[in-house]
Amino acid sequence: MNVVKFLEELEAKEIKLWVENTKLLCETPKGGLTETERAKLKHHRDEIIALLSGKKEMPSEYPLSPGQNALWLIYRLAPESPAYNTGVALRIRSFVDIPALCRSFQRLTDRHPCLRTTFVEKDGIPFQKVHEDRDVSFHRRDASGWDDDRLRNEVRNAHQAVFNLENGPIMRVSLFSRSQEDHALLLSMHHIITDGWSIWLMLDELRQIYPAEKQGVQADLPLPKFFYADYVRAQSEIISGPESEKLWAYWREQLSGDLPALNLPTDRPVPPVQTYNGLSVPFEINRTLAQKLTAFSREQGVTQYMTLLGAFYTLLHRYTGQEDILVGSPLTGRDRAEWSGIAGYFVNIVVLRADISNDPLFPDFLAQIRGIVSGVMKHGRYPFPLLVRKLRPDRESGRTPLIRAAFALQTPQQSGSPEEIANIGGLVTEHLDMDHY
């Protein structure tokens, strides 16, 4: 729907619309709004508020970020691979208002342009195209009579269904219902439009949208002031501006000389073509050990991330005997406050290079880790794909460039107690492990 034309039609009928404290208000002459007009106002509320507030227009087509370009290339090489499917699966142990839940995900789709995006190529150059209207892909399956193993297998299979980036949809919502108070909710997206932060952001907004939809009202969420297109533009300015040379100088020094390939012992040869085959292995650290790790990190003047990263390096050294080790680690990429409320692919991989020669004591090694992480955090805006292009490391078929091991410590962005986080707008949830890649 052309929102501008719709507003002109309302104005011709002497229907006045205005925004007050982020709320859309309406004054109508005798006869009021038709049901169709009411439905259009409700469905396009955020877009109308943005136009009436003088907010800049969201571009309908724009380039990819460097990280997206890398994922697009991988997709073009292996379009049938689910390796870059990402998302979350939740077990719901309460009643679900299914129509309200479907409307809630439609509201998220309307709210975040990335969820209405597809990808096209023009003269060999990829672009992302934002659609004005896109119906959410929401499917409910009857899972009554399924045991836990079948439920988990069906959820995993649904998650691994491939995405078509050219035609979409690039987000799928699946609800598996075993009974009125026993469901599995699967939210799947291709990584090119999302990251871990974005998933937590959407769940956090769902916590507010779903109760409102159950009551038939609009959730009072602030309008996004920026778009992913703004981030792409900012990345382009960094790459083409003077900051790029300063960032590149840092990485050129850190990754100078021969770059070591991590030679982990394997029980079979690495295949010549990367298959992405693998599984996650979940385990828990008990509360006592977690508290000891926190206390130890505090004593050493490092973060828990640094302590665990140091332990990971130590493990890799023990397995390989190597002393010069490269490890990849993802940064959120949201180094500006304005990116915090935007869903999209922001994450950037950084390369951390540690020296474990001369058998250092672990506290001394942690001091080195602290310095490495500090430097990387200051220079983490340099896109990893550009770093690979400039360094031109030796490439092996079936291997990722520069790094063969990665370390990440991810924590939810929501505040509140574990009980509050597990309650999504009245939906009592718990994590459902999918054993995915």
Side-chain angles (χ1 to χ4, degrees):
M1 186 190 81
N2 188 319
V3 175
V4 174
K5 184 177 179 182
F6 174 57
L7 293 179
E8 290 173 349
E9 292 171 354
L10 294 182
E11 185 177 1
K13 293 177 61 177
E14 298 184 355
I15 295 173
K16 298 179 181 179
L17 296 174
W18 71 96
V19 178
E20 191 173 299
N21 296 326
T22 73
K23 293 183 178 180
L24 180 63
L25 302 179
C26 179
E27 181 181 302
T28 66
K30 189 176 181 179
L33 294 163
T34 66
E35 288 301 318
T36 300
E37 289 167 343
R38 288 181 185 277
K40 288 181 178 179
L41 281 174
K42 182 177 180 180
H43 185 71
H44 296 279
R45 170 184 173 273
D46 287 354
E47 200 172 350
I48 292 169
I49 290 176
L51 285 172
L52 295 177
S53 302
K55 190 173 184 290
K56 59 185 176 181
E57 185 178 352
M58 167 72 200
S60 61
E61 197 172 276
Y62 58 97
L64 279 61
S65 68
Q68 285 182 311
N69 267 306
L71 290 177
W72 173 255
L73 177 60
I74 293 171
Y75 168 77
R76 296 287 283 172
L77 293 172
E80 299 303 316
S81 172
Y84 287 90
N85 291 11
T86 187
V88 64
L90 300 172
R91 193 73 176 267
I92 302 177
R93 304 286 193 175
S94 59
F95 174 79
V96 177
D97 184 332
I98 297 173
L101 185 63
C102 181
R103 292 195 303 271
S104 298
F105 279 104
Q106 184 64 61
R107 290 279 289 118
L108 285 172
T109 302
D110 297 339
R111 180 174 171 79
H112 294 290
C114 70
L115 305 182
R116 307 191 308 276
T117 296
T118 55
F119 294 79
V120 295
E121 275 192 359
K122 295 182 178 181
D123 299 324
I125 300 175
F127 289 86
Q128 43 197 328
K129 181 178 181 180
V130 180
H131 301 263
E132 277 193 21
D133 298 298
R134 205 72 169 180
D135 290 337
V136 65
S137 174
F138 186 100
H139 299 283
R140 185 194 181 196
R141 293 187 61 183
D142 182 3
S144 57
W146 294 3
D147 60 18
D148 285 350
D149 287 340
R150 182 178 177 186
L151 178 65
R152 189 175 293 107
N153 287 336
E154 294 286 351
V155 170
R156 181 176 61 246
N157 291 339
H159 179 64
Q160 292 181 356
V162 298
F163 288 100
N164 184 313
L165 300 191
E166 292 96 333
N167 299 321
I170 313 182
M171 180 183 81
R172 297 186 299 258
V173 184
S174 304
L175 183 69
F176 302 80
S177 299
R178 296 179 68 184
S179 69
Q180 283 194 336
E181 295 189 354
D182 187 1
H183 312 262
L185 176 66
L186 172 65
L187 174 61
S188 296
M189 291 167 280
H190 193 282
H191 210 348
I192 200 168
I193 62 164
T194 191
D195 54 21
W197 183 296
S198 300
I199 293 171
W200 285 112
L201 172 66
M202 284 186 268
L203 290 177
D204 208 28
E205 293 184 347
L206 185 66
R207 184 175 286 106
Q208 302 173 67
I209 294 172
Y210 175 66
E213 288 297 329
K214 285 199 299 182
Q215 298 174 23
V217 298
Q218 293 282 347
D220 189 16
L221 288 171
L223 285 170
K225 296 181 179 179
F226 296 89
F227 302 116
Y228 188 74
D230 297 313
Y231 168 75
V232 173
R233 190 180 304 110
Q235 283 273 289
S236 178
E237 290 172 356
I238 289 174
I239 293 170
S240 60
E243 184 180 2
S244 177
E245 285 304 313
K246 296 178 182 178
L247 294 173
W248 165 236
Y250 170 83
W251 288 109
R252 185 174 53 211
E253 179 181 350
Q254 292 298 308
L255 302 176
S256 61
D258 294 331
L259 296 175
L262 190 65
N263 293 312
L264 286 167
T266 58
D267 57 357
R268 67 194 70 183
V270 176
V273 178
Q274 194 166 10
T275 65
Y276 301 103
N277 291 337
L279 290 174
S280 59
V281 181
F283 65 94
E284 293 185 2
I285 295 177
N286 63 51
R287 184 180 296 273
T288 300
L289 180 55
Q291 291 173 342
K292 288 181 178 180
L293 281 170
T294 300
F296 175 79
S297 301
R298 191 178 298 115
E299 291 170 1
Q300 298 298 319
V302 297
T303 63
Q304 195 174 75
Y305 168 86
M306 296 174 188
T307 296
L308 294 172
L309 176 62
F312 185 58
Y313 269 116
T314 303
L315 183 67
L316 294 176
H317 171 63
R318 180 173 296 177
Y319 277 134
T320 65
Q322 293 174 252
E323 298 178 338
D324 186 5
I325 299 177
L326 304 180
V327 167
S329 191
L331 296 184
T332 65
R334 298 170 191 262
D335 56 336
R336 289 164 55 172
E338 48 262 44
W339 308 147
S340 62
I342 304 174
Y345 183 78
F346 287 81
V347 67
N348 187 41
I349 303 297
V350 292
V351 183
L352 302 104
R353 188 176 193 175
D355 178 9
I356 318 181
S357 59
N358 300 320
D359 195 22
L361 295 174
F362 192 67
D364 296 332
F365 183 53
L366 278 184
Q368 181 191 156
I369 293 293
R370 182 173 55 232
I372 293 170
V373 172
S374 176
V376 162
M377 293 296 289
K378 293 175 183 177
H379 301 86
R381 283 186 287 183
Y382 201 71
F384 179 73
L386 184 58
L387 184 64
V388 173
R389 197 183 314 148
K390 287 217 172 190
L391 287 173
R392 295 185 177 181
D394 293 335
R395 302 291 290 266
E396 292 183 51
S397 179
R399 304 271 196 176
T400 53
L402 285 181
I403 53 177
R404 295 183 180 178
F407 176 83
L409 180 63
Q410 297 178 333
T411 55
Q413 301 305 317
Q414 299 105 320
S415 59
S417 67
E419 292 77 16
E420 291 171 331
I421 291 174
N423 189 310
I424 300 180
L427 299 174
V428 180
T429 69
E430 60 190 48
H431 177 72
L432 176 63
D433 181 42
M434 292 186 289
D435 293 330
H436 57 283
Y437 300 118

